[in-house]
Amino acid sequence: MPTSDNKAEYDARVKRVMTAAANNEPDRVPMMPGMMPFAIDYYGHTMAEVTYNAHIGIEVALRFLEEFKPDCAMGFYSGEGSGPINELSRPKNSAWPGAPDKRVPDNSYHQFIEYPVLLEEEMDFFEQDYSGWTLQKAFPRVSGLMDPFADWNTSELEFNMGIGMLAAQFSRPEMRKTIETMWKINDMYGEIRKIQADGMAKMEEMGFPSFGAGIGGAVPFDSYSDFYRGTLESMMDMYEHRDFIERFIDKRIVRTLARMKAAAKDNAHLKESKWGSIILHKGMDGFMNEEQYVNLYWKHLQMMINEITSAGFKCYVYTEGPYTSRLDHLTEVDKNMVVYHFEDVDLKLAKQKLGDMACIAGGFPAWIVEQGKKQQVIDEVKRVLDICAPGGGYIFEGGYSFGEAPIENVMAMFETVLEYGKY
């Protein structure tokens, strides 16, 4: 909680953001730009350093808040402190800054290496024995640490096989080493979570609220495409294995909604100051045709949004990629309960279609701050505000997080929003 000296500013920021989220006019346009990559560079560090030391990430965030004073706490870099863990788990589907192999530059994001984890010829095995497939196929394909599981024969695993036989499986030298390493990894994750929790507490003490209520999840098709089949294969599967996709996503949504319902119940006391959130990876313009989007994507996304809003929480939906062709569907939600973040959209059309239904966030091209001139930044901020701010219901964010940028451009962005965004 904020200190007594900072409580007034904390309350003002919460009111400003939640008023905009309810599609109303606050005192000015709230400013919530994702600035962690910029801040890491600005304060003299690299992504590699933060990847191997979570304390640096907290230090950077606190310094940025003190200097720039946005309307929310800083979000963490998703790979914060994960470097030593990655070296133990040996992921096969990612590369990260600071890694011994140096595949990723020190001041770059970690990179996801996409390939199909679920092979086409394994679809029957996947549906008949999901746990067996996960142990024997998925885990060894994504992590070198999990290679020993590839030798398990789960078809012969029975509860009455005898503890001795099961113990023998777990006690193989390579399995014993895997289990011991997993204990270490669990402890390391616990330490990172503690560092982050302490950091968030300090941010709140300084008067900067966070808005995530821990309610959300992945759209089932995103899980299918991101983690199981990959982008190219999932596109082909919409034509060649449509029935398989439908069974997967219809089963997955039941579990997703159950988790969301439980989280909303546990956090019901936060509904006035925090929101649920859903991050979208697929479903953008051009990836699916209209029928596919409606039946394979929007149907479940709408269920998830409604699960959050029916519990009394605002729902923050982060769209990635171009999203103009989906705007009509985005209106099919509870009125004034949803915040739609856009990376790439026709802002005028978005305001026209969503202005009476939902709050808009983002839409500001971060590359202008990173690569443009100061006057370009000022002009673009004003253009975006002229479109999105009238009547309220707008939160200023970049279309994506801001990276390395000239400090005069960042200052111009903040100053223009603070002055030009007043109501």
Side-chain angles (χ1 to χ4, degrees):
M1 293 301 295
T3 63
S4 56
D5 291 340
N6 296 321
K7 189 176 187 307
E9 289 186 353
Y10 178 93
D11 291 343
R13 291 179 176 119
V14 170
K15 181 180 180 181
R16 182 175 299 128
V17 171
M18 297 307 289
T19 298
N23 211 20
N24 293 317
E25 284 188 2
D27 58 335
R28 64 164 172 79
V29 171
M31 191 164 193
M32 298 175 57
M35 302 296 296
M36 194 64 174
F38 164 79
I40 290 169
D41 174 72
Y42 179 60
Y43 293 114
H45 297 285
T46 65
M47 300 292 271
E49 289 179 82
V50 177
T51 302
Y52 278 80
N53 189 338
H55 289 286
I56 294 176
I58 301 300
E59 173 200 333
V60 162
L62 296 177
R63 291 180 68 183
F64 181 88
L65 294 176
E66 181 66 29
E67 182 172 352
F68 290 89
K69 295 179 171 54
D71 287 313
C72 65
M74 286 284 281
F76 298 115
Y77 162 52
S78 60
E80 193 167 71
S82 65
I85 293 174
N86 289 341
E87 292 191 18
L88 291 176
S89 63
R90 309 196 305 280
K92 301 176 183 180
N93 60 350
S94 66
W96 63 95
D101 59 22
K102 300 297 181 183
R103 285 187 293 173
V104 175
D106 281 354
N107 217 19
S108 176
Y109 290 98
H110 66 282
Q111 300 295 315
F112 181 69
I113 303 168
E114 186 178 274
Y115 52 83
V117 175
L118 170 61
L119 305 183
E120 188 174 18
E121 59 269 23
E122 295 169 358
M123 288 181 172
D124 287 343
F125 179 25
F126 178 91
E127 291 192 298
Q128 294 166 9
D129 184 4
Y130 176 75
S131 295
W133 175 85
T134 300
L135 284 172
Q136 295 177 45
K137 305 297 183 181
F139 283 162
R141 282 180 184 147
V142 301
S143 169
L145 175 64
M146 305 301 284
D147 282 342
F149 281 96
D151 295 335
W152 276 54
N153 183 358
T154 56
S155 64
E156 297 181 1
L157 189 63
E158 300 282 353
F159 79 93
N160 62 347
M161 66 186 292
I163 294 298
M165 295 177 64
L166 189 61
Q169 285 276 3
F170 277 106
S171 297
R172 288 181 293 151
E174 64 273 23
M175 186 62 73
R176 189 186 294 262
K177 183 176 180 181
T178 292
I179 293 171
E180 290 173 349
T181 303
M182 290 174 72
W183 290 341
K184 293 179 183 178
I185 290 173
N186 182 66
D187 292 343
M188 293 164 76
Y189 272 124
E191 181 60 26
I192 292 174
R193 286 192 294 269
K194 183 179 184 304
I195 293 169
Q196 291 178 336
D198 291 345
M200 291 304 299
K202 290 178 182 177
M203 293 182 206
E204 290 211 347
E205 288 173 4
M206 293 169 61
F208 297 97
S210 60
F211 293 94
I215 308 167
V219 175
F221 187 92
D222 282 347
S223 295
Y224 181 86
S225 183
D226 291 349
F227 303 117
Y228 291 93
R229 291 288 287 153
T231 300
L232 295 179
E233 285 74 11
S234 64
M235 292 179 73
M236 292 187 291
D237 288 350
M238 286 190 285
Y239 297 94
E240 298 178 358
H241 296 290
R242 175 69 177 255
D243 290 348
F244 181 82
I245 293 178
E246 289 177 348
R247 290 193 297 273
F248 176 94
I249 61 180
D250 287 344
K251 185 176 181 179
R252 179 60 63 99
I253 192 63
V254 174
R255 295 164 50 192
T256 300
L257 294 177
R259 288 195 296 266
M260 294 172 69
K261 185 184 292 292
K265 182 178 179 181
D266 290 343
N267 294 283
H269 60 290
L270 301 174
K271 65 180 63 175
E272 299 302 321
S273 61
K274 295 184 183 292
W275 53 43
S277 58
I278 305 170
I279 299 176
L280 312 184
H281 290 166
K282 301 297 194 298
M284 72 287 287
D285 298 348
F287 185 82
M288 298 169 157
N289 64 34
E290 175 68 8
E291 184 277 328
Q292 291 166 340
Y293 179 77
V294 170
N295 292 298
L296 300 180
Y297 203 91
W298 172 248
K299 179 174 72 173
H300 300 103
L301 171 56
Q302 186 183 36
M303 290 180 189
M304 295 171 67
I305 293 172
N306 289 345
E307 187 65 49
I308 291 171
T309 59
S310 65
F313 285 89
K314 299 291 188 293
C315 181
Y316 179 94
V317 181
Y318 189 105
T319 72
E320 292 188 350
Y323 231 79
T324 300
S325 70
R326 311 307 188 193
L327 291 173
D328 285 334
H329 295 292
L330 300 186
T331 65
E332 301 166 356
V333 295
D334 290 337
K335 188 174 183 178
N336 300 334
M337 293 295 289
V338 181
V339 179
Y340 288 116
H341 169 102
F342 292 108
E343 174 186 351
D344 180 7
V345 75
D346 181 330
L347 282 175
K348 290 183 179 179
L349 192 59
K351 185 68 174 181
Q352 175 188 326
K353 289 182 177 292
L354 298 174
D356 293 334
M357 287 295 301
C359 174
I360 294 172
F364 179 83
W367 68 266
I368 289 181
V369 175
E370 297 167 348
Q371 303 172 30
K373 303 296 184 182
K374 177 180 176 180
Q375 191 58 49
Q376 287 179 281
V377 174
I378 294 171
D379 292 343
E380 184 62 15
V381 170
K382 290 182 176 181
R383 185 189 75 86
V384 170
L385 293 181
D386 282 341
I387 295 170
C388 298
Y394 179 63
I395 297 172
F396 185 89
E397 298 177 328
Y400 52 86
S401 294
F402 295 84
E404 298 176 42
I407 183 58
E408 60 268 21
N409 286 359
V410 174
M411 294 296 296
M413 179 180 70
F414 270 80
E415 290 169 359
T416 306
V417 173
L418 294 178
E419 290 299 319
Y420 198 73
K422 291 180 180 178
Y423 287 100

